């Protein structure tokens, strides 16, 4: 029997209201939902469904299961791997857009938890937590538009992982709608619960392929009242790894961020953002941006940071360092880090890698890769930076001077192969925080063992036997 | 075809050596393996298998799968819920004892990781980490005999969860042998890895029902160089919750433990351990034992702790407090906490509960439960203590004076029902850190929704279609 689009749309509209079922045939513009934000993927969708609550999600999932329609859960659609937009071919695909489900049900300062719907914008949650004297620590570039449900489905990372962990570490409870429309109520605010399999773990990081996350209870923390930022110059990455160890030993969990930035990355930022001040007296091949946070006053933390840095200077695990005297200076230091992506974009084509390795192996990895890249791709300019404290590097490779972005993008497969083979040989990850989606699906499969892929497929079949959830992603 | 015990034992002995397959029929004493340590469960086993390495585990699992023999993974056999001993009836059960697989493969101080075999004793790992200047933070009463594999399979908790999390939070990588003998190599030391489903999560806390954990890569931390312990008297649990918030705001992640102890619990300890000093000038209905740890010197941390406690006294969130002046005094304070279990044992029968709740609801829970218990079970003496910082209470109920332990144990079902119904009504957990095993299997099922149990069973069937792994536990 042929699929009857009009009948399906009419059923969906009867379930959640005509205004909330967008479709191309009646002239709705779906492009903001069907295209990933990097603009690399765009395929048509049967409809964009915008449910108001969990009950409507259940009704829509039952409809989808009955009619064999694939469902693509979508939050802010800010992901890097096109996990929340349609794939080419296959069965009809409906986008389940959760943005209307944006309520914050509860902020519980004594339990240090927030319970929110999946469509809540990350920044909104951070602001509401701050108003209650609490920190929700997840912080990333897209926080003004990404949604908590998407953050959970992709196990988002960001700049505070060193201290507070990834999104997985911040989730205490979930509400999930299964592919058959059944609601799984795991919405508990408990730090400890050993009653059977921890089912929420299955859905965190699964990129919407096992069910729809509709709400979550997440951890909050006491809002730090003091912050201190420093910027250091170093001779080598090995020195940066030693500095990390020395600073963590002295500052403990106050240590919140440890970002590596290559000399080339600093040069690039200063070229495209000429107002960027020269932070250190001379150019160093490597830099580190560090931040600590604590209760108490800024002055006490700044003194502790200064004492720790002085000791590190004496021990030879840092060459030169500047400590921000106030919040404004701290922001200037951070803007250097944040402008790297923009500068790379302005500079032309670049091939991105989001890799992780055991921290102890990063110096050897980088020292091995840089000459190999320069040899295999003459003129290629590696721009290395990232969350060294988490073992996560954004190991991007800018086009040789004069090579057009499109021509350089054609080398993506070859550059990826060189970098990712080296990562795999050192037991690292080819997608540390960005996930798999449709972008890295085939590449992921080539680096996993047959046993791993087999177990993933068994889990997928157990929870989604019809294969309705976000097909063509991850697996 | 009848099961041929002798042929099976001969096959097993051919695989891993005769000395390492213990069986009752040749006179081996299996009781240390077939009986749980609380002495409540004992059933015969076909054999106790003691493999030397992962390859031997694979060979044994293939034999078990071929012959339909159930396999019970066993570490130190120190669990509270009899998850690592045989169950009555059913197919032949072999205990897979991992104690010979006790190697520490690597301590990597720069990556802050250790890679160990499952049979490594927790205390051994803690000592080896300490020798490298690192802390492995899991700490619990049985650490001299429990094994890392068992700690992972039960997602162990203990006294440092407030700062470092449960065992799940400490595991970066796993090696698992699946029920069909396939090896799943997830042994990575990465803080970030978003390449598909995070398969290790499925096996952590599954109590050996989905596969055999054979090795793990776990997180280490810089070893704190300073510690400070305080003991406070309080009017109410509500005040204790306020104190927790006020101290965390000031001390941040330096705050490592926050243990609640009722006045009755202190009285009980002083009755059976008469050398216990009177720590505060008067008797308080509630107490809290607090510990902070940090880099730097003891004196600086002690001063920070003192300043924070003084502020709390002024704010009225604590009534009286004593701060240990040195390590010896700190140990004395901790021994009070550690002697509660022993004192309860010496005092006679008690019915144990290991519950968790949102911290904000604990005052209401305790204030509601205490009169209800006294009314329903006249003379019953609730002894309340536990990890308040994690929302986890050991809410134990001692027998009324003059009631024999055996007679009181007969009331277990009725007392459990009263306590656990109240926990469930407040969306808490009836097993915060002790797990399910065979002890709480039926009770867990009565508090889970049908949807949750259904998903658990689907996962079980997907990974263990023959039902070989630790039958009669959890599900």
């Amino acid at each position: 029997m042929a699929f009857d689009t009009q009948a399906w749309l009419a059923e969906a509209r009867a379930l959640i209201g005509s205004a909330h079922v967008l479709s191309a045939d009646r002239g709705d513009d779906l492009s903001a939902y069907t295209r990933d934000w990097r603009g690399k993927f765009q395929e048509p969708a049967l409809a964009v469904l915008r449910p108001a609550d969990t009950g409507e999600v259940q009704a829509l999932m039952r409809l989808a299961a009955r009619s064999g329609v694939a469902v693509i859960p979508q939050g802010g659609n800010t992901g890097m791997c096109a996990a929340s937009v349609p794939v080419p071919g296959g069965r009809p695909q409906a986008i389940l857009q959760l943005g209307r489900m944006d309520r914050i049900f509860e902020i519980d300062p004594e339990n240090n938890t927030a319970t929110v719907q999946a469509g809540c914008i990350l920044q909104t949650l951070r602001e509401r937590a701050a108003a209650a004297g609490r920190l929700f620590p997840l912080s990333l570039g897209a926080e003004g538009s990404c949604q908590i449900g998407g953050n959970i489905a992709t196990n988002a990372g960001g700049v505070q992982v060193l201290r507070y962990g990834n999104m997985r570490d911040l989730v205490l409870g979930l509400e999930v709608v299964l592919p058959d429309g059944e609601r799984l109520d795991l919405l508990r605010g408990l730090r400890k619960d050993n009653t059977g399999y921890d089912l929420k773990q299955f859905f965190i990081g699964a990129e919407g392929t096992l069910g729809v996350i509709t709400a979550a209870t997440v951890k909050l923390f006491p809002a730090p009242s003091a912050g201190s930022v420093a910027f250091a110059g170093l001779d080598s990455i090995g020195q940066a790894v030693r500095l990390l160890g020395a600073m963590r030993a002295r500052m403990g969990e106050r240590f919140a961020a440890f970002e590596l930035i290559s000399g080339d990355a600093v040069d690039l930022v200063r070229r495209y953002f000429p107002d960027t001040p020269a932070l250190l007296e001379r150019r160093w091949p490597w830099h580190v941006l560090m931040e600590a946070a604590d209760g108490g006053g800024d002055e006490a933390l700044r003194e502790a940071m200064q004492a720790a840095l002085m000791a590190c200077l004496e021990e030879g695990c840092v060459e030169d360092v500047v400590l921000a005297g106030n919040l404004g200076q701290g922001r200037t230091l951070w803007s250097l880090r944040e402008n790297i992506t923009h500068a790379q974009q302005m500079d032309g084509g670049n091939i991105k890698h989001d890799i992780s390795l055991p921290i102890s192996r990063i110096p050897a990895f980088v020292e091995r890769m840089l000459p190999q890249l320069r040899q295999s791709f003459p003129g290629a300019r590696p721009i290395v930076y990232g969350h060294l404290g988490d073992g996560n590097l954004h190991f991007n490779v800018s086009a040789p001077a004069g090579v057009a972005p499109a021509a350089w993008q054609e080398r993506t497969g070859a550059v990826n192969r060189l970098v990712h083979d080296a990562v795999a040989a050192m037991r690292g990850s080819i997608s540390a925080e960005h996930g798999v989606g449709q972008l890295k699906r085939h590449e992921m499969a080539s680096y996993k063992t047959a046993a791993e892929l087999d177990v993933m497929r068994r889990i997928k079949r157990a929870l989604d036997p019809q294969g309705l959830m976000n097909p063509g992603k991850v697996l």
Side-chain angles (χ1 to χ4, degrees), chain A:
Chain A
M1 201 172 69
F3 181 77
D4 183 342
T5 301
Q6 288 310 317
W8 198 92
L9 291 170
E11 271 203 77
R13 289 188 170 118
L15 290 173
I16 68 168
S18 180
H20 304 302
V21 178
L22 313 184
S23 63
D25 69 296
R26 73 170 194 196
D28 297 321
D29 178 10
L30 307 190
S31 61
Y33 308 103
T34 55
R35 187 171 55 207
D36 82 304
W37 80 269
R38 293 174 72 189
K40 291 174 183 266
F41 296 85
Q42 174 149 27
E43 294 291 332
L46 168 63
V48 174
L49 312 170
R50 296 172 46 84
D53 57 31
T54 301
E56 289 192 358
V57 174
Q58 291 183 269
L60 290 169
M61 286 308 307
R62 281 191 290 260
L63 170 61
R66 211 163 56 228
S67 53
V69 165
V71 173
I72 303 165
Q74 185 181 81
N77 195 20
T78 62
M80 302 293 278
C81 296
S84 58
V85 293
V87 292
R91 51 173 113 209
Q93 298 164 76
I95 293 172
L96 188 68
Q97 221 305 321
L98 290 142
R100 286 178 69 215
M101 293 173 56
D102 64 351
R103 288 180 58 197
I104 295 178
F105 291 122
E106 186 190 25
I107 302 268
D108 181 343
E110 284 190 331
N111 196 41
N112 276 302
T113 48
T115 299
V116 301
Q117 281 185 311
C120 178
I121 303 281
L122 172 55
Q123 188 173 307
T124 307
L125 175 58
R126 285 174 53 88
E127 288 168 0
R128 282 285 299 280
R134 293 294 178 269
L135 172 73
F136 180 64
L138 188 74
S139 175
L140 39 85
E143 66 192 48
S145 52
C146 66
Q147 299 172 10
I148 296 299
N151 297 146
I152 296 171
T154 58
N155 186 27
V159 292
Q160 300 246 38
V161 173
L162 181 62
R163 177 166 179 164
Y164 298 104
N166 295 294
M167 191 69 203
R168 184 183 298 278
D169 304 298
L170 302 173
V171 175
L172 293 177
L174 282 187
E175 181 189 69
V176 175
V177 174
L178 297 171
D180 62 3
E182 192 72 49
R183 186 176 76 103
L184 201 52
D185 177 4
L186 313 167
L187 210 52
R188 292 186 162 81
L190 306 176
R191 258 79 185 169
K192 285 178 162 183
D193 180 14
N194 277 344
T195 52
Y197 305 156
D198 190 358
L199 299 183
K200 68 177 179 287
Q201 304 294 345
F202 300 177
F203 302 97
I204 300 170
E207 303 187 27
T209 61
L210 300 177
V212 185
I213 294 167
T214 49
T217 298
V218 296
K219 287 185 197 168
L220 303 178
F221 294 83
S225 49
S228 179
V229 183
F231 186 76
L234 302 123
D235 266 333
S236 68
I237 298 200
Q239 198 179 29
V241 170
R242 288 201 305 281
L243 178 63
L244 173 65
M247 289 300 289
R248 282 194 76 192
R250 291 184 170 90
M251 304 293 294
E253 283 77 24
R254 274 160 289 188
F255 219 51
F258 192 88
E259 300 286 307
L260 182 76
I261 305 171
S262 72
D264 290 341
V266 173
D267 293 345
L268 198 70
V269 171
R270 299 196 68 202
R271 188 180 324 151
Y272 290 94
F273 298 86
D275 291 345
T276 308
L279 299 167
L280 300 170
E281 281 182 23
R282 52 158 283 202
R283 185 189 188 281
W284 295 98
W286 296 99
H287 305 88
V288 163
L289 179 68
M290 290 168 270
E291 180 166 337
D294 201 3
D298 276 325
E299 203 44 49
L301 180 63
R302 198 174 171 282
E303 275 169 26
M305 189 88 150
Q306 186 153 29
L309 288 168
M310 289 300 292
C312 289
L313 275 165
E314 276 166 33
E315 288 166 14
C317 48
V318 62
E319 296 301 320
D320 193 7
V321 65
V322 57
L323 186 62
N326 56 46
L327 204 63
Q329 287 177 20
R331 286 225 184 90
T332 303
L333 296 178
W334 268 107
S335 70
L336 170 66
R337 164 70 176 83
E338 284 151 8
N339 284 334
I340 298 173
T341 323
H342 306 305
Q344 277 209 292
Q345 219 71 39
M346 293 155 89
D347 189 52
N350 73 87
I351 296 166
K352 295 184 194 298
H353 304 96
D354 168 43
I355 60 170
S356 70
L357 290 158
I359 294 169
S360 49
R361 294 187 190 169
I362 284 182
F365 172 81
V366 175
E367 280 155 28
R368 197 175 304 173
M369 280 314 301
L370 294 184
Q372 280 185 27
L373 270 171
R374 292 194 181 110
Q375 191 183 353
S376 302
F377 304 95
R381 294 166 299 142
I383 300 295
V384 180
Y385 64 102
H387 320 293
L388 183 63
D390 316 315
N392 177 195
L393 293 185
H394 297 308
F395 194 96
N396 297 344
V397 187
S398 284
V403 173
W408 185 235
Q409 289 305 328
E410 279 172 22
R411 312 300 303 272
T412 301
V415 175
N416 280 353
R417 172 62 61 93
L418 185 68
V419 173
H420 289 167
D421 279 0
V423 166
M426 288 180 136
R427 297 187 72 80
S429 168
I430 65 160
S431 192
E433 58 178 15
H434 292 167
V436 177
Q438 45 186 312
L439 180 69
K440 293 190 183 173
R441 181 184 160 212
H442 294 292
E443 208 175 356
M444 179 199 83
S446 73
Y447 289 111
K448 294 278 182 191
T449 64
E452 267 180 283
L453 292 170
D454 177 53
V455 172
M456 286 190 202
R457 288 194 199 102
R458 281 150 75 178
I459 297 293
K460 170 74 175 173
R461 277 197 301 271
L463 294 181
D464 181 21
Q466 280 187 269
L468 294 175
M469 295 302 312
N470 215 5
K473 318 292 164 52
V474 184
L475 284 171

